[in-house]
Amino acid sequence: MKVYGKNVWKHLKQDPDRIKRIYLQDSLKDKRILNEVKNGQFSCRIVSRSELDRMTNHANHQGIVCEVKDIQTYSPDQLLQKAKTPGLLVALDGVQDPHNVGAVLRTCDCTGADGLILTKHNSAGLTPTVIKTSTGAAYSVPVSIVTNLSQTLKELKKAGYWIVGTDMEQARDYREGIYDVPLVLVIGSEGKGISPLVKKQCDYMVKLPMAGSIQSLNASVACGVVLYEIYSKRNPV
């Protein structure tokens, strides 16, 4: 896998064993990166911007591309073992936009969430776009990829976690949520929301007030609002 961007490099350089090879743009002027690559004794190739454009499908690579080992993923049980008290996990139910997944990873890191659960099918995985959008959080937030999210949530409930879904129907205001218990926050897909089987596992739903003419928020924005409400309740000023 090839990932790219200065923020991704910032995280990768802390774990050099992940990196197989680095490709630097021949006109890159960032001396800090040039020195870090040189001093780290990485396998490195100097290439043209057009070559990096080709590697990244014309993404904003910022002059650096890293060929890396696949990101390690974890089982839900391993996420529980890593979790703080009370635990906080986020589960994405069929979110397909890699920019949304990357943004959720970034917010998970910022709010101290213990991990992210993705579905194996009908969702964006840990693609280069996800990793770039996460600004490196894909390397700091543990991720579990599951085949059956409904069954996974059922097992997490047995482990003492409350399942909180985001939905507009039969939902309480997000500011009225119970957040001082171990939680899994479930975010539905961009178009269909949370699937019926996953809804059945939710202990309750929360909704965000819509004061304008638009009746929904981007999935990653909604996730960010609720995560910071949880953070606020757990860490009062």
Side-chain angles (χ1 to χ4, degrees), residues 215-233:
Q215 292 303 302
S216 65
L217 282 173
N218 174 283
S220 61
V221 173
C223 181
V225 171
V226 180
L227 281 179
Y228 266 101
E229 178 66 12
I230 295 170
Y231 180 88
S232 177
K233 291 291 178 61

Side-chain angles (χ1 to χ4, degrees), residues 67-89:
E67 184 177 352
V68 297
K69 300 175 183 176
D70 288 342
I71 293 176
Q72 180 181 359
T73 57
Y74 302 86
S75 69
D77 284 341
Q78 288 174 317
L79 294 188
L80 294 186
Q81 292 170 12
K82 291 174 172 288
K84 301 179 289 292
T85 303
L88 174 59
L89 303 173

Side-chain angles (χ1 to χ4, degrees), residues 132-233:
K132 174 66 163 59
T133 307
S134 79
T135 65
Y139 291 102
S140 59
V141 177
V143 174
S144 179
I145 300 177
V146 302
T147 302
N148 188 326
L149 181 57
S150 177
Q151 183 61 38
T152 298
L153 295 177
K154 187 181 294 185
E155 294 301 319
L156 289 170
K157 289 176 75 169
K158 291 179 182 178
Y161 276 67
W162 288 39
I163 314 300
V164 180
T166 51
D167 197 73
M168 293 303 292
E169 297 181 2
Q170 297 181 327
R172 66 183 71 177
D173 189 292
Y174 79 106
R175 292 166 291 186
E176 299 174 336
I178 302 168
Y179 298 137
D180 59 351
V181 295
L183 288 178
V184 182
L185 175 63
V186 182
I187 304 295
S189 67
E190 295 88 346
K192 298 180 180 179
I194 299 174
S195 61
L197 286 176
V198 171
K199 274 188 179 180
K200 289 182 179 179
Q201 299 303 326
C202 293
D203 293 293
Y204 65 91
M205 297 288 184
V206 295
K207 63 182 178 180
L208 302 176
M210 297 292 148
S213 59
I214 306 300
Q215 292 303 302
S216 65
L217 282 173
N218 174 283
S220 61
V221 173
C223 181
V225 171
V226 180
L227 281 179
Y228 266 101
E229 178 66 12
I230 295 170
Y231 180 88
S232 177
K233 291 291 178 61

